[in-house]
């Protein structure tokens, strides 16, 4: 169990460094797209918002399910 946690932590640590390397490239592509009149940057922004919202929505749903199940157990006791 501990080995899995350590491995997962190292995987996240090293994958973040690779993800940060792409930010200037995406920014340059979006800026040049807007200058040329293309709407690619708008799609890029929508994709970023989609990726940002999904984890929060998933955690919210899990919290709601947990709360609903615990609420019923407390009322029955």
């Amino acid at each position: 169990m501990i080995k899995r946690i350590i491995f997962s932590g190292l995987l996240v640590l090293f994958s973040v460094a690779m993800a940060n390397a792409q930010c200037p490239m995406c920014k340059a592509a979006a800026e040049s797209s807007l200058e040329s009149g293309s709407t690619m940057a708008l799609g890029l922004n929508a994709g970023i918002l989609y990726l940002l919202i999904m984890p929060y929505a998933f955690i919210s749903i899990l919290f709601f399910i947990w709360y609903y199940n615990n609420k019923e157990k407390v009322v029955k006791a």
Side-chain angles (χ1 to χ4, degrees), residues 10-26:
L10 290 173
L11 185 64
V12 168
L13 179 69
F14 289 116
S15 66
V16 170
M18 289 184 277
N20 284 339
Q22 300 301 320
C23 289
M25 293 172 58
C26 291

Side-chain angles (χ1 to χ4, degrees), residues 24-38:
M25 293 172 58
C26 291
K27 181 180 176 187
E31 287 175 352
S32 67
S33 170
L34 284 175
E35 289 174 359
S36 67
S38 177

